[in-house]
Amino acid sequence: MGATVNTLSDSASTLYADGQFESARTLFESLAEQGHSDPALYYNIGNCYTRLGEFGEARLWFERSLLFEPGNEETIHNLQWLNTRLTDALPAPNDPLLHWIGSQFREVLAPEHWGLLAGLFLIAALLLLVLRKFKTPAWSWRAPLALSSIGLVLVLTAQTSMPQSDKVIVVSNNSYGYSAPDANGTRILLLSEGSAGRLVRATEDWFYIGLSDGRQAWFSSDQWDRVFPINAH
Amino acid sequence: MEKKIGKYHWLWAFIFLATSLVAQEVQLTARSSRTSVGLDEPFRVTFSCNARGGDLIPPSFEHFIVVSGPYSSQQTQIINGSMSFSRELTYQLVAQEEGTFTIDPATLKIKGKEFQSNRLTIEVKAGVRKERSQSVPKSAGFEVEILSSKKAVYVGEPIVLLFSATLFEQVRDLNMLQAPNFENVLQQQLEFEQQSRRERIGGKIATVLDFDKRLIIPNKPGTLGGQELKITGTVQKPTGQRDFFNMPLMRWEQEVATAKIPAVKIKPLPTPQPSGFSGAVGELKLVREVSRTSVNGDESITLKLRIEGAGNFNTISVPELIPPQGFDLYDPKFNEKIRYSERGVRGFKEFEYLLVPQFKGQFILPQMEWTFFNTKKEAYETITLEETTLTVTGDALVEAEPNNDGASPKIQREVNTIDNDIRYLQEVDESNTEHGKSLLWIWVLLGGVALGWLLQLVSIKSRSASPEAMHAAMKKAINTAWKTNDPEAVGKMLNALEEALVRKGIAKENISLTVLNEAFGTASGGRINALVEQLQLALYAPNTMVSNDEWLNEFNALWEQL
């Protein structure tokens, strides 16, 4: 797997450097489809889409990259660069509190690292408890209790820092918003490429999306893509 | 009485006149001085009405240009006691194109009512159109020609249009009916002194007068010009009659001449454009003037950054200074002086900065580059302003930070980066496949820890219920009571011993040396018996107590055996 990732990634980078952005994008996306989840990979796909002029898709992939690595300066720069060109696009609503807290935790450590830390504390606590039970009952309960408490807090932190997002982005040139999930219904909105919103609920072909200005409408799910989970659409 | 009659007389007269006016029917008519005219041949259209008040609204005169007017006049006549009133509005027009056109009616609005005049039909023929030639003109008093300073220019490069009139008669009030209406250009009328010269044209002496100059700066590529402009002038013409002194009588007539604006090709700037190019076109210079390069701590430096020369100053902006470190930089003062002339737009734009030193040492004013399109060389040109070292001396300021080796004062520089592109690719980490994977194992581990704690709790409960635990707890309680001089300590110790003996199968009433010797052996039995007797004695005769500590030690020693 490792060799394949390296080979494909290097080939894609070479194609990108040669200006063959479409081929580079295909290779990078094939890695993502194989389940390789790396913010750098998402960032590279975003770059390819930017070079291809597909700013909606580019924004989607930069947002995905930032979801996993919120503090990455290069991704932030590219997203800002893109936003200055997506002048007609509607910005995303603010993150819910828990998502925001999670992103703050992710800026410090990745969720798996929080999990690892929690695991270490929990294993130490478990070890002390076993020893106290079967070997030296005279040991105080204070040390295992402290370790268990820290471990529990770290487990909660790790769980909160798991990437989660209900953000959706327009990936087609524009998208009409309807008052009902019906293409023959009344059109109440028109959003341009790169506009973002929050997914309130979804049916097979329709997304009910809340926008940053408080409006809500039904949109065809073909024209939107979810930031997370990846490849869900 | 006579005065009163006089007053009434005028009153009756006024009422009579007013009634006769009101009773008159409102009439609005339109008439034209000619119904068939040539192109560029002025004619008059007059609207007249017999009502005093109201708004007279003229039509839009589509297909015609108003050369002069409106001239208004009004007339009141009283003939044989009958009074009539009329007012007129007169326009002088020329046709814009050949054909037969209708002039819409004028409208009079009076007391909420609307009255309309009749329509006029005017036939416009070619034939009067004049062509400029070297031959003697047939009847035109003047001709106009528009000259362009260049036939092809780059976007941003100025062109001067000169409006020149050739006067065959005495002409006054030369005037442009329509200003040139170009798209995507900056147009500026130039101030200049009108000059005339005498020339022979077609065997006839004429006066050539340059009466208008306009500066045009195109903003987009394409072709400029091609359209026609109409110019009016009042021409002095002989009437064919002579006056008392045998001098020919003259009259002034208004004439219209047509001139075509020459086509000028606007070329786009060559591509690719250099990265630092911001649209400046012309023959320009970027100048950086520093008032001094060496200052005392309490002095300041004035720095001027200026673009000067000839170019499209309307769109040029002075680049921002990359400030040197070690100085406080105040908001710059902006100076500009721009003059529009037939040589183009000339002048300068500058920022004037004040630099106040903060540290002693040497500081570098960074290199600057600025790119413009040189119209003379027809190529992009980059001006580079080299680094300049500024030295700050004086005791009032501290030294700037030295280098790591401490050898020389640090010469600091600041580089402003202008981000105008996305960042390059990042390296994909082949081992990075765990992002966002489930943390189930952590929860399992947490469950294990919870189980460990449950086991601990079960263990505590079971331990507290065991005889050993109770035995140890009893000993601890006796020791605590003894050490705290509990008055019931002796009783508690005796009870504890007796209960322990009961658990061994020896009832309280059966406690004796013999029984104890049988149960615990002679040595221990004797010691237990002695301790019990001493405690019983102490319980009933407290004064006989020997030593608390000895009994406690004896109790602790015997307790383990019990």
Side-chain angles (χ1 to χ4, degrees):
Chain A
M1 174 73 179
T4 315
V5 170
N6 266 350
T7 314
L8 285 176
S9 172
D10 290 348
S11 307
S13 300
T14 310
L15 288 169
Y16 182 92
D18 288 346
Q20 298 179 49
F21 305 118
E22 182 62 41
S23 307
R25 180 195 64 80
T26 310
L27 278 186
F28 279 132
E29 277 198 328
S30 70
L31 278 176
E33 280 164 14
Q34 285 169 26
H36 187 81
S37 63
D38 182 6
L41 176 64
Y42 303 152
Y43 166 91
N44 291 348
I45 297 172
N47 265 20
C48 292
Y49 275 116
T50 307
R51 290 294 186 221
L52 290 166
E54 293 179 42
F55 288 172
E57 286 279 5
R59 180 173 181 184
L60 175 77
W61 285 97
F62 285 140
E63 293 274 9
R64 283 173 173 172
S65 177
L66 271 188
L67 183 69
F68 287 91
E69 199 180 358
N72 190 305
E73 287 182 6
E74 290 182 327
T75 316
I76 291 168
H77 169 85
N78 284 8
L79 194 57
Q80 283 173 348
W81 184 94
L82 204 61
N83 284 340
T84 57
R85 279 144 187 90
L86 287 170
T87 47
D88 296 340
L90 204 64
N94 289 335
D95 281 332
L97 183 64
L98 258 184
H99 292 188
W100 179 80
I101 293 171
S103 72
Q104 299 300 305
F105 287 149
R106 278 199 301 281
E107 260 192 66
V108 181
L109 280 179
E112 58 270 18
H113 294 147
W114 282 114
L116 203 64
L117 209 57
L120 286 175
F121 275 87
L122 290 178
I123 288 168
L126 195 58
L127 205 65
L128 282 184
L129 287 173
V130 169
L131 286 174
R132 189 169 182 272
K133 169 72 183 166
F134 299 108
K135 192 105 176 169
T136 49
W139 279 6
S140 168
W141 48 268
R142 288 185 181 85
L145 183 66
L147 289 172
S148 305
S149 305
I150 295 170
L152 178 65
V153 170
L154 287 171
V155 167
L156 292 175
T157 306
Q159 192 59 47
T160 312
S161 70
M162 288 291 285
Q164 45 191 334
S165 176
D166 52 5
K167 199 184 281 183
V168 279
I169 290 172
V170 178
V171 291
S172 61
N173 285 340
N174 49 51
S175 179
Y176 278 105
Y178 295 85
S179 57
D182 179 5
N184 297 318
T186 310
R187 288 174 170 176
I188 54 174
L189 280 173
L190 177 63
L191 297 182
S192 56
E193 185 179 22
S195 294
R198 302 220 157 276
L199 186 63
V200 180
R201 61 178 184 271
T203 65
E204 196 177 339
D205 300 323
W206 293 89
F207 283 167
Y208 189 53
I209 291 168
L211 305 172
S212 57
D213 55 9
R215 291 179 295 174
Q216 294 186 330
W218 288 95
F219 294 89
S220 168
S221 59
D222 294 339
Q223 296 159 346
W224 292 70
D225 218 337
R226 298 177 67 159
V227 170
F228 188 80
I230 292 160
N231 296 328
H233 181 51
Chain B
M1 187 66 185
E2 275 182 7
K3 276 184 183 176
K4 268 189 177 178
I5 291 167
K7 267 187 187 173
Y8 286 126
H9 177 78
W10 283 110
L11 183 64
W12 282 115
F14 175 75
I15 291 168
F16 170 73
L17 286 172
T19 313
S20 64
L21 275 175
V22 170
Q24 218 170 11
E25 197 183 342
V26 174
Q27 285 184 335
L28 175 63
T29 56
R31 66 177 189 277
S32 169
S33 62
R34 304 172 71 172
T35 55
S36 176
V37 295
L39 265 177
D40 301 342
E41 193 178 359
F43 65 101
R44 283 189 308 280
V45 169
T46 305
F47 302 100
S48 60
C49 74
N50 59 352
R52 280 181 183 274
D55 296 327
L56 183 55
I57 303 161
S60 61
F61 298 119
E62 207 177 341
H63 307 292
F64 298 91
I65 300 169
V66 177
V67 177
S68 62
Y71 305 111
S72 61
S73 66
Q74 54 186 16
Q75 193 177 20
T76 307
Q77 285 182 329
I78 303 175
I79 300 168
N80 296 332
S82 168
M83 186 170 132
S84 64
F85 171 81
S86 72
R87 59 170 167 150
E88 290 183 346
L89 211 55
T90 305
Y91 290 87
Q92 192 157 27
L93 308 178
V94 286
Q96 283 183 307
E97 53 195 317
E98 291 172 41
T100 303
F101 305 109
T102 303
I103 296 175
D104 290 334
T107 308
L108 176 69
K109 285 184 180 175
I110 183 165
K111 291 179 182 172
K113 288 184 178 176
E114 274 192 13
F115 301 92
Q116 288 199 325
S117 70
N118 53 306
R119 292 171 193 271
L120 295 172
T121 304
I122 309 291
E123 188 184 4
V124 183
K125 295 175 182 169
V128 188
R129 182 186 287 272
K130 297 178 279 290
E131 294 296 332
R132 178 155 183 165
S133 65
Q134 289 299 308
S135 62
V136 180
K138 290 162 193 163
S139 62
F142 69 98
E143 286 181 348
V144 176
E145 191 179 24
I146 303 171
L147 304 168
S148 164
S149 61
K150 291 169 186 172
K151 296 289 176 199
V153 291
Y154 284 101
V155 170
E157 191 179 351
I159 316 153
V160 176
L161 294 183
L162 174 69
F163 294 76
S164 177
T166 307
L167 314 176
F168 300 104
E169 308 285 351
Q170 283 286 334
V171 178
R172 68 181 190 197
D173 301 336
L174 273 177
N175 201 7
M176 245 184 282
L177 282 180
Q178 309 152 294
N181 183 23
F182 305 119
E183 285 182 359
N184 303 315
V185 300
L186 171 82
Q187 192 181 153
Q188 179 78 33
Q189 189 167 17
L190 298 176
E191 286 179 11
F192 80 110
E193 200 178 330
Q194 289 190 355
Q195 288 182 341
S196 62
R197 58 194 179 275
R198 304 285 284 174
E199 283 182 14
R200 178 176 285 277
I201 296 171
K204 192 174 178 183
I205 298 294
T207 304
V208 178
L209 174 70
D210 298 336
F211 66 97
D212 196 3
K213 268 185 188 174
R214 281 166 194 260
L215 185 75
I216 308 288
I217 301 175
N219 297 330
K220 283 189 177 174
T223 305
L224 190 80
Q227 72 244 55
E228 287 187 339
L229 290 187
K230 290 191 185 302
I231 292 102
T232 65
T234 310
V235 183
Q236 192 182 41
K237 296 241 168 152
T239 57
Q241 296 171 340
R242 290 183 175 268
D243 64 6
F244 179 76
F245 301 103
N246 202 28
M247 297 296 285
L249 283 172
M250 310 296 277
R251 68 172 187 276
W252 291 96
E253 277 184 11
Q254 198 146 37
E255 280 190 8
V256 177
T258 305
K260 195 170 185 178
I261 299 172
V264 180
K265 190 182 175 189
I266 314 298
K267 297 183 281 186
L269 295 176
T271 51
Q273 294 181 346
S275 59
F277 178 66
S278 60
V281 176
E283 290 171 47
L284 298 159
K285 279 196 288 187
L286 177 68
V287 181
R288 187 173 63 190
E289 283 179 3
V290 184
S291 61
R292 60 186 92 180
T293 55
S294 180
V295 286
N296 238 330
D298 52 357
E299 294 171 331
S300 62
I301 296 174
T302 304
L303 188 149
K304 290 179 180 174
L305 197 60
R306 184 171 62 239
I307 292 176
E308 61 184 30
N312 55 341
F313 274 98
N314 54 319
T315 56
I316 290 175
S317 55
V318 184
E320 278 192 30
L321 178 77
I322 302 173
Q325 284 199 342
F327 288 88
D328 259 357
L329 194 67
Y330 291 90
D331 283 344
K333 184 180 157 191
F334 180 69
N335 305 315
E336 76 172 344
K337 186 176 179 183
I338 294 167
R339 202 161 54 85
Y340 294 87
S341 72
E342 57 195 275
R343 291 165 63 200
V345 187
R346 304 187 73 83
F348 69 85
K349 277 185 175 180
E350 77 173 10
F351 278 131
E352 187 177 325
Y353 294 89
L354 188 69
L355 305 176
V356 179
Q358 295 296 300
F359 298 101
K360 273 199 298 189
Q362 286 188 311
F363 302 94
I364 284 184
L365 199 56
Q367 176 185 302
M368 282 185 75
E369 286 189 344
W370 183 70
T371 304
F372 71 101
F373 182 76
N374 191 323
T375 47
K376 194 174 181 182
K377 296 178 183 171
E378 297 196 0
Y380 293 100
E381 193 176 323
T382 300
I383 297 174
T384 305
L385 301 176
E386 296 301 335
E387 288 181 351
T388 306
T389 304
L390 304 174
T391 308
V392 182
T393 55
D395 299 330
L397 299 175
V398 294
E399 290 274 350
E401 278 181 49
N403 275 336
N404 290 337
D405 56 7
S408 59
K410 189 177 181 181
I411 296 175
Q412 299 172 7
R413 77 177 62 185
E414 191 171 285
V415 178
N416 277 2
T417 308
I418 300 161
D419 277 320
N420 56 5
D421 199 9
I422 56 170
R423 299 269 193 271
Y424 196 62
L425 297 181
Q426 291 177 0
E427 196 165 335
V428 177
D429 185 357
E430 62 180 13
S431 62
N432 240 347
T433 54
E434 296 301 319
H435 276 293
K437 287 282 162 67
S438 169
L439 293 172
L440 188 63
W441 67 277
I442 295 289
W443 288 100
V444 171
L445 195 59
L446 190 66
V449 172
L451 200 64
W453 277 106
L454 275 177
L455 284 174
Q456 298 293 317
L457 290 175
V458 169
S459 162
I460 288 165
K461 269 193 175 176
S462 58
R463 259 197 294 165
S464 60
S466 71
E468 292 80 12
M470 288 176 68
H471 194 74
M474 184 66 81
K475 183 185 172 186
K476 195 176 176 183
I478 300 295
N479 275 272
T480 307
W482 210 268
K483 284 174 183 169
T484 56
N485 293 323
D486 185 350
E488 294 178 2
V490 174
K492 284 180 179 176
M493 188 183 280
L494 183 60
N495 285 343
L497 282 172
E498 286 173 351
E499 279 179 25
L501 290 173
V502 168
R503 279 201 298 275
K504 289 287 181 184
I506 302 166
K508 278 185 186 178
E509 57 277 11
N510 294 337
I511 295 171
S512 64
L513 183 63
T514 318
V515 174
L516 291 171
N517 282 344
E518 280 178 12
F520 300 101
T522 317
S524 296
R527 284 170 65 192
I528 293 167
N529 188 51
L531 183 59
V532 169
E533 283 179 355
Q534 282 172 342
L535 288 171
Q536 284 172 343
L537 186 63
L539 195 62
Y540 299 110
N543 294 336
T544 58
M545 281 179 71
V546 182
S547 165
N548 284 341
D549 289 340
E550 279 180 14
W551 290 353
L552 184 64
N553 291 338
E554 188 67 3
F555 171 80
N556 285 338
L558 293 171
W559 188 254
E560 297 304 326
Q561 293 178 24
L562 288 169

